[in-house]
Amino acid sequence: MADQPALHLLLPANRAPDGYAERMALALEAQGQPVLRQALPGDYPRLDPSAVLAADIALSRLPDGARVLVDGGALPGLAAALAMDSRRLRLVALVERLLWPEPGLTEEAAAARRHLEQGALALMRAVAVPDAATARAVADLGLAPETAIVLSPDTAGAVRLGGLWGA
């Protein structure tokens, strides 16, 4: 894997340091795969217009054909730009859990977040998840069941992740 071009990892700046995406990035790096982390500003998953603009700019600056890992927590901020950039980038989401069922959201806010997640995940080549329950939750959004791939954030998961990029 060491001769591979770097992977780009887009994740919220306020992410948990031991989250699924970070653990997967560390597993990839342990296999010799360079990972370029791009921390996106904002109070994810709640966003303001400046955070959405920063996410749009970060995505637009990635080179055509780049392999991009998107932390599931960053999907709300990237949702609008993903539709424009999904054809030129090779996108795979790393989703530890879906955001729309978060406790404390109003029914309206949960529905809006659900639609954002559903639309953003539909643009991915694949959605890597840590367990079968999260894979079922992704499928429950109306995505094809084979879209969600259970990958452990370890050596075996890092090796399998390499096969999700496609040609």
Side-chain angles (χ1 to χ4, degrees):
M1 276 183 148
D3 60 341
Q4 293 282 329
L7 290 170
H8 299 269
L9 172 59
L10 301 176
L11 60 171
N14 66 344
R15 73 194 183 280
D18 62 345
Y20 180 62
E22 182 61 28
R23 289 181 288 140
M24 187 60 81
L26 292 171
L28 288 161
E29 289 170 332
Q31 293 295 304
Q33 175 63 65
V35 178
L36 300 174
R37 291 165 180 78
Q38 172 106 29
L40 302 172
D43 185 23
Y44 283 84
R46 292 159 197 82
L47 298 172
D48 60 53
S50 64
V52 172
L53 178 61
D56 289 353
I57 291 169
L59 203 60
S60 72
R61 289 184 175 166
L62 295 173
D64 290 352
R67 296 178 305 146
V68 183
L69 294 169
V70 180
D71 182 303
L75 289 173
L78 291 167
L82 286 172
M84 295 185 303
D85 290 311
S86 65
R87 288 197 173 112
R88 68 177 196 85
L89 301 173
R90 297 162 59 195
L91 301 165
V92 172
L94 298 172
V95 177
E96 187 164 2
R97 64 179 175 79
L98 293 177
L99 302 173
W100 73 267
E102 185 176 286
L105 290 177
T106 65
E107 189 174 319
E108 191 174 280
R113 198 177 283 178
R114 184 181 196 280
H115 290 298
L116 279 175
E117 281 187 294
Q118 183 180 40
L121 291 173
L123 297 171
M124 300 290 150
R125 290 177 179 253
V127 179
V129 297
D131 53 51
T134 307
R136 282 189 301 277
V138 168
D140 288 347
L141 286 175
L143 278 70
E146 62 274 8
T147 301
I149 312 294
V150 177
L151 295 180
S152 56
D154 57 16
T155 302
V159 169
R160 285 188 60 213
L161 181 62
L164 298 181
W165 300 107

XYZ file of all heavy atoms in Angstrom, residues 1-97:
714
model
N 0.810 -1.204 0.000
C 0.000 0.000 0.000
C 0.855 1.270 0.000
O 0.363 2.335 -0.272
C -0.905 0.046 1.234
C -2.189 -0.706 1.106
S -3.136 -0.433 2.626
C -4.758 -0.501 1.989
N 2.123 1.156 0.324
C 2.950 2.338 0.479
C 3.088 3.137 -0.808
O 3.358 4.316 -0.766
C 4.331 1.944 1.002
N 2.937 2.501 -1.985
C 3.065 3.223 -3.240
C 1.755 3.886 -3.661
O 1.687 4.523 -4.703
C 3.568 2.289 -4.340
C 2.632 1.107 -4.573
O 1.820 0.798 -3.684
O 2.730 0.488 -5.645
N 0.717 3.759 -2.869
C -0.572 4.362 -3.159
C -0.525 5.871 -2.894
O 0.145 6.313 -1.968
C -1.659 3.767 -2.253
C -1.958 2.314 -2.500
C -2.821 2.125 -3.727
O -3.624 2.973 -4.059
N -2.635 1.012 -4.392
N -1.271 6.662 -3.697
C -1.378 8.076 -3.362
C -2.141 8.221 -2.048
O -2.889 7.322 -1.641
C -2.164 8.671 -4.525
C -2.748 7.526 -5.269
C -1.989 6.306 -4.900
N -1.953 9.337 -1.406
C -2.583 9.567 -0.105
C -4.100 9.531 -0.213
O -4.684 9.935 -1.216
C -2.138 10.908 0.459
N -4.704 9.044 0.848
C -6.151 9.148 1.015
C -6.429 10.479 1.694
O -5.651 10.934 2.528
C -6.669 8.026 1.928
C -6.658 6.617 1.389
C -6.957 5.634 2.509
C -7.679 6.476 0.295
N -7.545 11.074 1.360
C -7.968 12.307 2.014
C -9.078 11.937 2.976
O -10.028 11.252 2.594
C -8.469 13.314 0.980
C -7.417 13.706 -0.001
N -6.580 14.776 0.189
C -7.040 13.139 -1.176
C -5.744 14.860 -0.823
N -6.004 13.877 -1.671
N -8.965 12.374 4.225
C -9.985 12.110 5.233
C -10.575 13.433 5.678
O -9.870 14.288 6.226
C -9.392 11.360 6.430
C -10.292 11.169 7.645
C -11.560 10.397 7.290
C -9.532 10.469 8.762
N -11.866 13.618 5.411
C -12.578 14.828 5.828
C -13.357 14.500 7.091
O -14.167 13.572 7.096
C -13.536 15.288 4.731
C -12.902 15.604 3.375
C -13.976 15.956 2.360
C -11.889 16.727 3.504
N -13.091 15.262 8.154
C -13.763 15.000 9.409
C -13.979 16.292 10.179
O -13.267 17.280 9.973
C -12.998 13.972 10.235
C -11.581 14.236 10.683
C -11.168 13.146 11.659
C -10.613 14.233 9.542
N -14.983 16.312 11.058
C -15.238 17.518 11.840
C -14.056 17.824 12.763
O -13.453 16.914 13.330
C -16.472 17.168 12.673
C -17.088 15.994 12.002
C -15.963 15.266 11.324
N -13.746 19.102 12.915
C -12.669 19.499 13.824
C -13.018 19.143 15.264
O -12.126 18.877 16.064
C -12.402 20.996 13.693
N -14.306 19.088 15.590
C -14.719 18.794 16.962
C -14.985 17.307 17.192
O -15.686 16.924 18.106
C -15.961 19.614 17.340
C -17.199 19.224 16.544
O -17.109 18.560 15.507
N -18.355 19.649 17.008
N -14.379 16.469 16.381
C -14.597 15.017 16.473
C -13.979 14.434 17.740
O -13.058 15.007 18.323
C -13.990 14.323 15.266
C -12.468 14.293 15.348
C -11.820 13.939 14.047
N -10.389 13.833 14.147
C -9.554 14.848 14.143
N -9.996 16.070 14.084
N -8.248 14.654 14.215
N -14.477 13.262 18.101
C -13.872 12.521 19.208
C -12.544 11.931 18.705
O -12.488 11.382 17.606
C -14.803 11.403 19.651
N -11.476 12.052 19.482
C -10.173 11.584 19.009
C -10.087 10.068 18.833
O -9.207 9.574 18.155
C -9.204 12.065 20.086
C -10.038 12.288 21.293
C -11.409 12.640 20.810
N -11.014 9.337 19.402
C -10.973 7.881 19.286
C -12.151 7.339 18.476
O -12.531 6.196 18.610
C -10.943 7.237 20.670
C -12.188 7.565 21.490
O -12.933 8.496 21.109
O -12.416 6.890 22.503
N -12.713 8.164 17.605
C -13.852 7.760 16.796
C -13.473 6.746 15.719
O -12.291 6.484 15.450
N -14.480 6.185 15.090
C -14.316 5.156 14.066
C -13.418 5.625 12.924
O -12.497 4.905 12.512
C -15.702 4.750 13.544
C -15.705 3.695 12.476
C -15.220 2.415 12.717
C -16.240 3.966 11.216
C -15.251 1.434 11.736
C -16.283 2.987 10.235
C -15.775 1.729 10.495
O -15.809 0.757 9.516
N -13.648 6.821 12.405
C -12.854 7.318 11.277
C -11.381 7.446 11.654
O -10.500 7.067 10.879
C -13.401 8.651 10.773
N -11.103 7.964 12.833
C -9.711 8.123 13.264
C -9.050 6.761 13.479
O -7.896 6.545 13.087
C -9.628 8.959 14.537
C -8.218 9.209 15.019
C -7.330 9.968 14.032
O -7.855 10.761 13.221
O -6.102 9.766 14.067
N -9.764 5.822 14.068
C -9.200 4.480 14.264
C -8.945 3.799 12.925
O -7.931 3.115 12.747
C -10.116 3.631 15.151
C -10.089 4.111 16.617
C -10.968 3.275 17.524
N -12.368 3.585 17.206
C -13.349 2.693 17.157
N -13.121 1.425 17.421
N -14.567 3.065 16.869
N -9.841 4.010 11.954
C -9.635 3.435 10.622
C -8.422 4.093 9.951
O -7.621 3.417 9.309
C -10.882 3.599 9.766
C -10.820 2.887 8.432
S -10.586 1.097 8.525
C -12.255 0.584 8.858
N -8.282 5.406 10.108
C -7.125 6.103 9.537
C -5.822 5.571 10.131
O -4.838 5.355 9.404
C -7.253 7.606 9.762
N -5.798 5.343 11.425
C -4.598 4.800 12.066
C -4.283 3.390 11.551
O -3.118 3.051 11.342
C -4.767 4.799 13.588
C -4.808 6.175 14.245
C -5.196 6.062 15.714
C -3.478 6.899 14.081
N -5.325 2.586 11.331
C -5.115 1.238 10.778
C -4.554 1.314 9.360
O -3.671 0.525 8.989
C -6.423 0.451 10.805
N -5.054 2.251 8.564
C -4.528 2.437 7.214
C -3.065 2.866 7.259
O -2.237 2.352 6.495
C -5.370 3.476 6.464
C -6.755 3.014 6.041
C -7.646 4.219 5.739
C -6.668 2.082 4.846
N -2.752 3.797 8.126
C -1.366 4.277 8.248
C -0.443 3.158 8.714
O 0.708 3.071 8.263
C -1.309 5.473 9.187
C -1.934 6.708 8.573
C -2.110 7.859 9.538
O -2.255 7.626 10.764
O -2.115 9.003 9.072
N -0.936 2.279 9.582
C -0.128 1.148 10.045
C 0.195 0.202 8.891
O 1.203 -0.510 8.927
C -0.854 0.400 11.160
N -0.628 0.217 7.850
C -0.399 -0.593 6.654
C 0.456 0.144 5.618
O 0.638 -0.347 4.509
C -1.743 -0.972 6.020
C -2.571 -1.900 6.872
C -1.870 -3.239 7.032
O -1.541 -3.892 6.064
N -1.616 -3.615 8.268
N 0.903 1.361 5.947
C 1.747 2.127 5.041
C 0.989 3.061 4.122
O 1.575 3.639 3.202
N -0.308 3.205 4.326
C -1.132 4.093 3.485
C -1.130 5.506 4.070
O -1.599 5.706 5.185
C -2.568 3.577 3.424
C -3.519 4.494 2.685
C -3.169 4.674 1.222
O -3.225 3.745 0.451
N -2.806 5.873 0.851
N -0.612 6.499 3.350
C -0.668 7.869 3.859
C -2.109 8.384 3.893
O -2.877 8.156 2.961
C 0.169 8.686 2.869
C 0.606 7.759 1.792
C 0.070 6.402 2.066
N -2.466 9.034 4.976
C -3.802 9.607 5.140
C -3.645 11.088 5.468
O -2.999 11.446 6.449
C -4.590 8.902 6.268
C -5.959 9.544 6.454
C -4.734 7.412 5.978
N -4.214 11.942 4.610
C -4.185 13.384 4.834
C -5.505 13.792 5.490
O -6.560 13.727 4.863
C -4.003 14.128 3.512
C -2.730 13.815 2.734
C -2.745 14.505 1.382
C -1.515 14.218 3.542
N -5.440 14.200 6.762
C -6.636 14.583 7.487
C -6.950 16.056 7.245
O -6.060 16.895 7.333
C -6.460 14.342 8.980
C -6.393 12.883 9.361
C -5.851 12.723 10.782
N -5.754 11.355 11.207
C -4.790 10.512 10.852
N -3.829 10.906 10.035
N -4.770 9.277 11.309
N -8.213 16.346 6.977
C -8.679 17.720 6.812
C -9.787 17.937 7.840
O -10.876 17.387 7.710
C -9.217 17.946 5.405
C -9.888 19.272 5.222
C -9.046 20.236 4.434
O -8.258 19.830 3.612
N -9.227 21.511 4.667
N -9.486 18.724 8.867
C -10.470 19.023 9.901
C -11.373 20.157 9.425
O -10.896 21.218 9.026
C -9.766 19.416 11.193
N -12.661 19.914 9.449
C -13.639 20.894 8.991
C -14.152 21.698 10.176
O -14.586 21.126 11.175
C -14.804 20.191 8.295
C -14.405 19.329 7.101
C -15.599 18.518 6.608
C -13.842 20.186 5.983
N -14.111 23.029 10.084
C -14.573 23.856 11.202
C -16.084 23.794 11.351
O -16.805 23.466 10.418
C -14.126 25.262 10.802
C -14.090 25.239 9.312
C -13.688 23.829 8.937
N -16.549 24.100 12.543
C -17.988 24.156 12.798
C -18.377 23.286 13.970
O -17.597 22.466 14.463
N -19.598 23.465 14.419
C -20.135 22.722 15.548
C -20.928 21.533 15.014
O -22.146 21.492 15.095
C -21.019 23.636 16.401
C -21.515 22.958 17.652
O -20.884 21.980 18.101
O -22.553 23.389 18.193
N -20.211 20.574 14.438
C -20.869 19.405 13.851
C -21.566 18.589 14.923
O -21.043 18.472 16.022
C -19.837 18.542 13.118
C -19.446 19.105 11.789
C -18.461 20.072 11.664
C -20.079 18.671 10.643
C -18.112 20.595 10.435
C -19.739 19.184 9.402
C -18.750 20.142 9.309
O -18.417 20.645 8.089
N -22.702 17.993 14.621
C -23.415 18.029 13.353
C -24.278 19.275 13.154
O -24.864 19.456 12.101
C -24.285 16.774 13.384
C -24.533 16.529 14.807
C -23.308 17.029 15.539
N -24.386 20.147 14.162
C -25.106 21.415 13.953
C -24.181 22.346 13.182
O -22.996 22.398 13.457
C -25.483 22.037 15.286
C -26.515 21.234 16.029
C -26.488 21.572 17.530
N -27.170 20.578 18.311
C -26.632 19.427 18.708
N -25.390 19.141 18.400
N -27.327 18.569 19.397
N -24.727 23.087 12.240
C -23.882 23.884 11.357
C -24.382 25.301 11.210
O -25.570 25.577 11.352
C -23.861 23.250 9.965
C -23.281 21.854 9.896
C -23.490 21.276 8.526
C -21.822 21.889 10.247
N -23.452 26.156 10.870
C -23.811 27.511 10.468
C -23.331 27.688 9.023
O -22.559 26.871 8.516
C -23.186 28.545 11.410
C -21.668 28.481 11.440
O -21.046 28.537 10.354
O -21.095 28.370 12.530
N -23.794 28.734 8.349
C -23.418 28.924 6.936
C -21.914 28.977 6.694
O -21.444 28.500 5.662
C -24.097 30.241 6.553
C -25.264 30.338 7.482
C -24.791 29.717 8.780
N -21.139 29.537 7.633
C -19.696 29.613 7.413
C -19.058 28.224 7.447
O -18.112 27.952 6.701
C -19.031 30.535 8.432
O -19.166 30.022 9.740
N -19.579 27.316 8.262
C -19.054 25.946 8.300
C -19.386 25.210 7.003
O -18.560 24.461 6.485
C -19.616 25.202 9.501
N -20.583 25.422 6.474
C -20.973 24.792 5.212
C -20.084 25.310 4.089
O -19.595 24.531 3.253
C -22.463 25.032 4.911
C -22.823 24.540 3.519
C -23.332 24.347 5.960
N -19.825 26.599 4.060
C -18.954 27.176 3.036
C -17.540 26.605 3.157
O -16.924 26.243 2.147
C -18.926 28.702 3.154
C -18.017 29.417 2.162
C -18.455 29.139 0.727
C -18.023 30.922 2.434
N -17.014 26.489 4.372
C -15.677 25.924 4.562
C -15.622 24.479 4.084
O -14.637 24.059 3.462
C -15.277 26.015 6.034
N -16.673 23.709 4.338
C -16.730 22.326 3.868
C -16.769 22.272 2.345
O -16.094 21.450 1.720
C -17.944 21.623 4.472
N -17.557 23.147 1.736
C -17.634 23.208 0.270
C -16.265 23.509 -0.334
O -15.857 22.884 -1.317
C -18.619 24.287 -0.177
C -20.069 23.948 0.092
O -20.364 22.811 0.521
O -20.924 24.829 -0.129
N -15.561 24.465 0.251
C -14.238 24.844 -0.254
C -13.252 23.694 -0.106
O -12.498 23.382 -1.033
C -13.737 26.122 0.455
C -14.588 27.317 0.019
C -12.257 26.359 0.175
C -14.370 28.571 0.852
N -13.278 23.019 1.048
C -12.362 21.895 1.276
C -12.582 20.801 0.235
O -11.618 20.266 -0.331
C -12.562 21.337 2.683
N -13.817 20.486 -0.052
C -14.126 19.444 -1.027
C -13.708 19.873 -2.437
O -13.128 19.094 -3.191
C -15.612 19.123 -0.981
C -16.042 17.764 -1.489
C -15.403 16.635 -0.695
C -17.545 17.632 -1.436
N -13.964 21.130 -2.781
C -13.642 21.612 -4.130
C -12.144 21.649 -4.390
O -11.714 21.589 -5.545
C -14.260 22.983 -4.375
O -13.585 23.980 -3.635
N -11.335 21.733 -3.352
C -9.876 21.802 -3.515
C -9.215 20.440 -3.690
O -8.020 20.381 -3.990
C -9.263 22.520 -2.318
C -9.561 23.992 -2.323
C -8.880 24.712 -1.198
N -9.101 26.142 -1.312
C -8.853 27.001 -0.357
N -8.363 26.593 0.797
N -9.094 28.277 -0.539
N -9.965 19.379 -3.491
C -9.382 18.049 -3.666
C -9.181 17.769 -5.151
O -10.006 18.146 -5.978
C -10.293 16.992 -3.044
C -10.445 17.079 -1.528
C -11.496 16.088 -1.041
C -9.117 16.849 -0.836
N -8.086 17.091 -5.496
C -7.810 16.831 -6.913
C -8.796 15.823 -7.511
O -9.283 14.923 -6.827
C -6.388 16.270 -6.901
C -6.179 15.750 -5.522
C -7.037 16.585 -4.611
N -9.074 15.986 -8.801
C -9.941 15.043 -9.507
C -9.418 13.627 -9.328
O -8.210 13.385 -9.402
C -9.996 15.379 -11.002
C -10.754 16.658 -11.294
O -11.378 17.216 -10.369
O -10.726 17.103 -12.453
N -10.337 12.702 -9.085
C -9.970 11.299 -8.923
C -9.474 10.932 -7.541
O -9.137 9.767 -7.301
N -9.396 11.907 -6.642
C -8.880 11.630 -5.298
C -9.752 10.616 -4.578
O -10.971 10.588 -4.733
C -8.819 12.925 -4.479
N -9.111 9.759 -3.803
C -9.818 8.827 -2.925
C -10.076 9.558 -1.611
O -9.133 10.020 -0.964
C -8.990 7.571 -2.701
C -8.776 6.786 -3.996
C -7.922 5.555 -3.801
N -6.652 5.901 -3.178
C -5.996 5.111 -2.324
N -6.465 3.938 -1.993
N -4.855 5.505 -1.795
N -11.346 9.678 -1.266
C -11.739 10.507 -0.129
C -12.569 9.698 0.848
O -13.584 9.107 0.488
C -12.559 11.736 -0.593
C -12.911 12.627 0.585
C -11.798 12.517 -1.660
N -12.117 9.678 2.087
C -12.889 9.114 3.187
C -13.627 10.266 3.852
O -13.025 11.311 4.121
C -11.966 8.447 4.208
C -11.204 7.217 3.723
C -10.143 6.822 4.737
C -12.168 6.081 3.473
N -14.908 10.075 4.108
C -15.710 11.115 4.740
C -16.227 10.575 6.063
O -16.973 9.583 6.085
C -16.899 11.535 3.846
C -17.718 12.620 4.526
C -16.410 12.003 2.482
N -15.826 11.197 7.162
C -16.360 10.844 8.472
C -17.860 11.112 8.448
O -18.292 12.170 7.986
C -15.665 11.694 9.533
C -16.100 11.375 10.940
O -17.319 11.455 11.232
O -15.233 11.076 11.770
N -18.648 10.173 8.926
C -20.098 10.339 8.934
C -20.560 11.584 9.654
O -21.580 12.174 9.302
N -19.801 12.045 10.627
C -20.153 13.269 11.337
C -20.025 14.510 10.483
O -20.600 15.551 10.796
N -19.278 14.425 9.384
C -19.092 15.569 8.489
C -20.146 15.640 7.397
O -20.221 16.634 6.677
C -17.705 15.513 7.853
N -20.965 14.610 7.258
C -21.928 14.575 6.156
C -22.878 15.772 6.115
O -23.124 16.298 5.028
C -22.725 13.269 6.190
C -21.926 12.030 5.810
C -22.766 10.777 6.033
C -21.432 12.102 4.387
N -23.409 16.251 7.250
C -24.323 17.402 7.149
C -23.682 18.628 6.496
O -24.308 19.298 5.683
C -24.709 17.689 8.600
C -24.563 16.382 9.286
C -23.367 15.734 8.627
N -22.440 18.899 6.822
C -21.770 20.063 6.254
C -21.364 19.894 4.812
O -21.231 20.859 4.069
N -21.165 18.662 4.399
C -20.712 18.388 3.037
C -21.846 18.029 2.084
O -21.624 17.929 0.873
C -19.710 17.230 3.057
C -18.371 17.522 3.713
C -17.603 16.234 3.953
C -17.551 18.470 2.853
N -23.037 17.830 2.598
C -24.143 17.288 1.799
C -24.364 18.050 0.494
O -24.519 17.440 -0.558
C -25.421 17.243 2.621
N -24.370 19.363 0.535
C -24.641 20.140 -0.675
C -23.518 19.987 -1.699
O -23.764 19.796 -2.890
C -24.846 21.607 -0.324
N -22.278 20.044 -1.255
C -21.145 19.964 -2.171
C -20.949 18.557 -2.724
O -20.453 18.395 -3.842
C -19.875 20.426 -1.468
N -21.339 17.544 -1.969
C -21.147 16.167 -2.435
C -21.852 15.907 -3.757
O -21.337 15.196 -4.610
C -21.632 15.175 -1.382
C -20.734 15.015 -0.164
C -21.423 14.160 0.885
C -19.387 14.437 -0.542
N -23.021 16.495 -3.925
C -23.770 16.287 -5.168
C -22.976 16.790 -6.376
O -23.015 16.183 -7.439
C -25.123 16.983 -5.089
N -22.243 17.877 -6.202
C -21.458 18.425 -7.314
C -20.145 17.685 -7.518
O -19.664 17.576 -8.637
C -21.173 19.906 -7.062
C -22.423 20.763 -7.064
S -22.093 22.533 -6.903
C -21.170 22.613 -5.388
N -19.554 17.194 -6.440
C -18.216 16.612 -6.531
C -18.190 15.089 -6.546
O -17.120 14.498 -6.687
C -17.361 17.127 -5.377
C -17.028 18.601 -5.535
O -16.579 18.984 -6.619
O -17.224 19.366 -4.570
N -19.331 14.429 -6.412
C -19.336 12.968 -6.305
C -18.882 12.277 -7.583
O -18.406 11.142 -7.532
C -20.724 12.469 -5.898
O -21.668 12.757 -6.903
N -18.991 12.925 -8.717
C -18.552 12.290 -9.971
C -17.047 12.418 -10.192
O -16.460 11.595 -10.880
C -19.307 12.896 -11.152
C -20.741 12.444 -11.155
C -21.383 12.687 -12.505
N -22.702 12.080 -12.519
C -23.816 12.771 -12.566
N -23.785 14.087 -12.615
N -24.971 12.156 -12.572
N -16.430 13.445 -9.625
C -14.998 13.633 -9.858
C -14.132 13.058 -8.743
O -12.922 12.891 -8.909
C -14.672 15.112 -10.070
C -14.831 15.978 -8.900
C -14.414 17.437 -9.170
N -14.238 18.115 -7.901
C -13.136 18.087 -7.188
N -12.072 17.476 -7.615
N -13.080 18.713 -6.013
N -14.742 12.737 -7.612
C -14.013 12.181 -6.466
C -14.474 10.754 -6.211
O -15.590 10.383 -6.538
C -14.245 13.037 -5.225
C -13.825 14.500 -5.330
C -14.271 15.268 -4.098
C -12.315 14.612 -5.534
N -13.621 9.983 -5.592
C -13.946 8.594 -5.233
C -14.230 8.576 -3.735
O -13.311 8.512 -2.925
C -12.797 7.701 -5.648
C -12.628 7.752 -7.179
C -11.308 7.280 -7.682
N -11.044 5.906 -7.297
C -9.849 5.350 -7.366
N -8.818 6.030 -7.792
N -9.674 4.113 -7.006
N -15.504 8.634 -3.385
C -15.948 8.866 -2.007
C -16.371 7.577 -1.297
O -17.136 6.783 -1.843
C -17.133 9.825 -2.003
C -16.907 11.202 -2.627
C -18.232 11.890 -2.894
C -16.022 12.040 -1.720
N -15.885 7.418 -0.082
C -16.320 6.342 0.810
C -16.580 6.975 2.169
O -15.750 7.722 2.682
C -15.254 5.225 0.931
C -15.624 4.216 2.018
C -15.057 4.520 -0.408
N -17.742 6.689 2.739
C -18.090 7.220 4.057
C -17.665 6.234 5.145
O -17.730 5.022 4.964
C -19.589 7.488 4.152
N -17.235 6.786 6.270
C -16.943 6.007 7.478
C -17.984 6.424 8.515
O -17.891 7.515 9.080
C -15.531 6.310 7.985
C -14.384 5.960 7.041
C -13.063 6.481 7.591
C -14.313 4.466 6.813
N -18.976 5.582 8.733
C -20.120 5.957 9.568
C -20.158 5.101 10.827
O -20.470 3.905 10.772
C -21.442 5.819 8.785
C -22.631 6.131 9.664
C -21.413 6.720 7.557
N -19.835 5.725 11.940
C -19.896 5.025 13.233
C -21.338 4.853 13.688
O -21.715 3.829 14.232
C -19.102 5.801 14.273
C -18.960 5.072 15.575
C -17.871 5.658 16.452
O -17.242 6.665 16.082
O -17.638 5.076 17.524
N -22.140 5.885 13.442
C -23.570 5.861 13.770
C -24.245 6.938 12.950
O -23.613 7.919 12.549
C -23.815 6.100 15.256
C -23.370 7.479 15.713
C -23.620 7.735 17.187
N -23.071 9.004 17.602
C -23.635 10.191 17.387
N -24.787 10.266 16.762
N -23.061 11.302 17.793
